[in-house]
Amino acid sequence: INRNVVDVKTRLDIEVEFLHMIQNIGCEAAMQLLTVDIKTANRSTADKLGVPPNTPILTTSKIVTADGKPVIFCIDHIPFSKIVDYSYTTEELELPIFYFIEKYCHTSVFMDLTEIKITPADALIGKFLEIPEGTPLLHMDEVAYSIDNDPIMYSEEYYINGVFKHIVLRKKI
């Protein structure tokens, strides 16, 4: 057993749900649903999801807290064409998005392709994360795929600095 790897609390190369990620660093985790919207996909979002522009998209935004402090702002986009069962409630959208995908899209996330960059907080994100506009954030722009390599969700995640030690396991091949 490689203890150097086992003892890492937050690995970027393994998909971990937000609440578990925060619990793994020893904090109390909570999630708050901010918005639920039905939008049409702009060209960029449509391209990422493999759907035509103007496709109806279910979009949610959430704040995730660690010990009551906002630490992650997340926007999830799911094409309506991926939703099989429309009997969901707003309360169910308050749960982690993986629950929604499994129950209402009848699939699960197998892998993500993620672009990672630093970006300044805009006024809206700064307000939700309770930080000044312009504060550098870790931005993870990711597309989630099913086992069949079908894009099922596009997420925009913004992380406050200093809460997580994001570690990546890299191997020489």
Side-chain angles (χ1 to χ4, degrees):
I1 295 175
N2 185 336
R3 287 282 164 217
N4 295 317
V5 175
V6 172
D7 293 337
V8 173
K9 304 290 186 222
T10 310
R11 286 183 52 185
L12 284 177
D13 56 315
I14 297 176
E15 179 69 54
V16 177
E17 192 274 313
F18 293 140
L19 299 177
H20 293 132
M21 184 187 315
I22 291 168
Q23 291 165 349
N24 287 344
I25 63 169
C27 295
E28 182 179 327
M31 188 179 304
Q32 178 187 359
L33 179 66
L34 299 172
T35 63
V36 177
D37 293 308
I38 299 170
K39 298 182 176 185
T40 56
N42 61 30
R43 175 148 320 273
S44 174
T45 300
D47 287 348
K48 290 175 189 210
L49 290 169
V51 298
N54 300 316
T55 295
I57 303 286
L58 174 66
T59 300
T60 64
S61 65
K62 296 177 182 174
I63 287 290
V64 185
T65 60
D67 292 339
K69 180 181 186 264
V71 294
I72 302 169
F73 175 70
C74 179
I75 304 168
D76 293 319
H77 309 273
I78 300 174
F80 264 75
S81 59
K82 305 296 180 189
I83 302 171
V84 176
D85 179 355
Y86 291 93
S87 66
Y88 59 88
T89 64
T90 301
E91 289 77 26
E92 289 174 300
L93 290 169
E94 294 174 359
L95 299 171
I97 199 67
F98 300 114
Y99 167 84
F100 178 88
I101 290 170
E102 289 173 11
K103 185 168 182 183
Y104 296 102
C105 299
H106 297 180
T107 190
S108 60
V109 173
F110 175 71
M111 69 171 207
D112 294 334
L113 284 179
T114 306
E115 179 183 356
I116 301 168
K117 58 187 171 186
I118 302 301
T119 191
D122 63 20
L124 181 65
I125 294 171
K127 173 186 162 194
F128 288 132
L129 290 175
E130 300 174 4
I131 57 173
E133 184 175 351
T135 300
L137 298 170
L138 178 68
H139 177 212
M140 296 175 62
D141 196 66
E142 61 186 35
V143 178
Y145 295 86
S146 69
I147 189 81
D148 298 322
N149 205 28
D150 186 26
I152 53 177
M153 178 177 62
Y154 165 53
S155 295
E156 302 168 76
E157 302 171 3
Y158 300 87
Y159 294 76
I160 286 184
N161 187 36
V163 177
F164 304 99
K165 269 180 91 174
H166 294 285
I167 306 291
V168 177
L169 172 64
R170 294 174 51 185
K171 295 181 180 179
K172 182 133 177 94
I173 55 172

